[in-house]
Amino acid sequence: MSTIKKRETELDILRFIATLAVILTHVCGGPIKTLSILNIDWQILNCFRSAITWDVPVFVMISGGIFLTPKKEIPLKVLYGKYIKRLVIAFTFWSVMFQVYYVAYAMYTNSFSLNWKGVLSEILIGPYPFWYLFMLVGVYATVPFLKKIIADKKLTEYFLVLFFAFQILTCYGQALPRIGNTIASILNNMGFTFAMGFVGYFVLGYYLKTHEISKKVEYALYAIGIILVPLCCYVTTKQSIMNMEYTEDFSKYLMPNIIIESASLYTFFVKRVSQIKFSEKIVKTFTKLTEYGFGVYLVHALVNELVGLTGWSAVTISPFISVPLLTIVVYGLSLLITVLIRKIPVIGKNIT
């Protein structure tokens, strides 16, 4: 029991689910932007994506729940020499690999005009999923300051109130008719970003994991989180029809409704799933999957594109079948590649 508790298998399971959700998001990403909004397949893809907008926020909350633990001392030397260094190495290697693939594909299809400045620029920016690595570096850099904040419960709660309140003002307030522009001007003049962004998720993950909340609040959080999922799908559909193109404003990661959805799922795992006595086999399985998780994230987009070259996409057949199936295939191939790379001496584990 002590081994299971120490491992926090519930977080390993949640990481695995979130990884599948990220892959599913990217599997749907291309077709949902090209299909007609009136197409039934578009609506199915929209429902899939609207149901998993918690994927990245959950990852950040898991990290916050671990990194901000008072017992976990992280000196600046370790923070930069271990955690941030790992992100930089992985980013550099895989960003180059992605560009090698893009250049080779373009040359093969005779659609490439060699521009080394452009290639270098793309390497520095990285492929589309790598924004997450930039964000993590920024969040990690604030850890020494966040440690001081979470040492005081009231100060932590004050930080979270600021986080949620300013996300409401930024995301909803500026969209209000008549007064939206005024609110936008006020917020711009304030220049307040301290408690905003993914740092808020980082602190929220720690708070929900380590502090008790009443049963009423907990169940209310679950209920609201469940209600917001179909609402997200509905509003996204309405906005997309109005704009005659896919519009995901309501499902962006820092929207207050997504914050609630993400907090709801995360809370369920840290408060309820954590009470389950997992078998030794399950503990070992998800421990291993967690070990390979970062590598899977790094390579899945490339694998998804390579699979796409076969002509198989989220709408090859009904999305109800093709999306889950394609997600599993991309995950499986990404996992296999990661396992093989980690067997390479010295560099294998450093780049995955």
Side-chain angles (χ1 to χ4, degrees), residues 54 92 98-99 113 150 155 170 179 201 227 234 244 253-254 276 285 298 314 319 335 339 343 348:
W54 41 262
T92 303
F98 270 79
Q99 286 309 306
S113 177
I150 60 96
L155 196 59
T170 301
I179 64 171
Y201 276 121
I227 292 171
Y234 174 78
M244 289 309 295
Y253 291 135
L254 290 167
I276 299 174
T285 298
L298 293 169
L335 179 61
V339 171
K343 292 182 181 296

Side-chain angles (χ1 to χ4, degrees), residues 29-64:
I32 201 171
K33 294 175 182 177
T34 57
L35 285 175
S36 167
I37 297 168
L38 302 179
N39 190 307
I40 186 62
D41 285 348
W42 181 92
Q43 189 59 69
I44 296 172
L45 294 177
N46 177 37
C47 289
F48 270 125
R49 292 197 67 169
S50 297
I52 56 171
T53 48
W54 41 262
D55 52 358
V56 170
V58 160
F59 271 128
V60 180
M61 285 194 284
I62 291 173
S63 295

Side-chain angles (χ1 to χ4, degrees), residues 117-344:
K117 288 185 179 180
V119 171
L120 179 59
S121 176
E122 289 300 314
I123 289 175
L124 294 175
I125 295 172
Y128 64 91
F130 282 21
W131 71 268
Y132 178 72
L133 305 184
F134 280 110
M135 178 271 290
L136 273 186
V137 170
V139 172
Y140 284 177
T142 67
V143 166
F145 305 103
L146 298 179
K147 286 274 191 178
K148 301 295 183 181
I149 293 174
I150 60 96
D152 185 312
K153 183 181 179 183
K154 289 186 177 180
L155 196 59
T156 305
E157 292 173 343
Y158 175 57
F159 184 93
L160 292 175
V161 168
L162 288 177
F163 166 58
F164 196 69
F166 273 88
Q167 290 301 155
I168 288 176
L169 288 172
T170 301
C171 298
Y172 296 154
Q174 296 183 74
L176 292 174
R178 297 185 180 180
I179 64 171
N181 290 335
T182 302
I183 293 175
S185 296
I186 293 173
L187 290 173
N188 184 59
N189 290 335
M190 288 183 68
F192 182 85
T193 57
F194 172 67
M196 296 179 66
F198 284 91
V199 170
Y201 276 121
F202 207 66
V203 175
L204 183 60
Y206 166 79
Y207 183 84
L208 291 174
K209 180 183 176 186
T210 57
H211 294 287
E212 292 295 326
I213 58 176
S214 69
K215 290 289 192 297
K216 288 184 179 180
V217 172
E218 182 182 348
Y219 294 145
L221 184 60
Y222 297 152
I224 296 172
I226 292 171
I227 292 171
L228 286 174
V229 173
L231 180 62
C232 180
C233 182
Y234 174 78
V235 174
T236 300
T237 300
K238 285 294 184 181
Q239 287 184 328
S240 298
I241 291 175
M242 286 176 58
N243 299 328
M244 289 309 295
E245 64 178 1
Y246 178 54
T247 305
E248 53 183 338
D249 292 344
F250 200 67
S251 58
K252 290 182 177 179
Y253 291 135
L254 290 167
M255 291 292 285
N257 54 291
I258 303 305
I259 295 174
I260 295 174
E261 281 184 41
S262 305
S264 175
L265 180 64
Y266 179 80
T267 299
F268 177 72
F269 272 81
V270 297
K271 301 298 184 186
R272 298 297 156 194
V273 180
S274 61
Q275 297 179 13
I276 299 174
K277 295 181 179 180
F278 295 103
S279 68
E280 193 68 24
K281 184 177 181 180
I282 290 178
V283 172
K284 289 182 178 180
T285 298
F286 283 100
T287 298
K288 270 297 179 184
L289 292 178
T290 292
E291 180 184 336
Y292 300 134
F294 184 52
V296 170
Y297 184 89
L298 293 169
V299 306
H300 83 272
L302 185 55
V303 172
N304 186 39
E305 293 197 26
L306 290 171
V307 171
L309 294 179
T310 66
W312 185 16
S313 77
V315 292
T316 300
I317 53 178
S318 171
F320 275 124
I321 300 173
S322 58
V323 170
L325 187 58
L326 194 52
T327 298
I328 293 171
V329 169
V330 171
Y331 176 82
L333 291 174
S334 301
L335 179 61
L336 176 61
I337 291 170
T338 300
V339 171
L340 294 175
I341 290 176
R342 289 180 71 87
K343 292 182 181 296
I344 301 174

Side-chain angles (χ1 to χ4, degrees), residues 50-91:
S50 297
I52 56 171
T53 48
W54 41 262
D55 52 358
V56 170
V58 160
F59 271 128
V60 180
M61 285 194 284
I62 291 173
S63 295
I66 295 172
F67 264 77
L68 296 180
T69 301
K71 294 180 180 180
K72 188 178 180 68
E73 294 292 335
I74 309 178
L76 286 176
K77 185 177 181 180
V78 174
L79 182 65
Y80 281 87
K82 179 181 178 181
Y83 296 106
I84 292 180
K85 178 183 176 182
R86 185 191 184 201
L87 293 176
V88 171
I89 291 174
F91 173 90

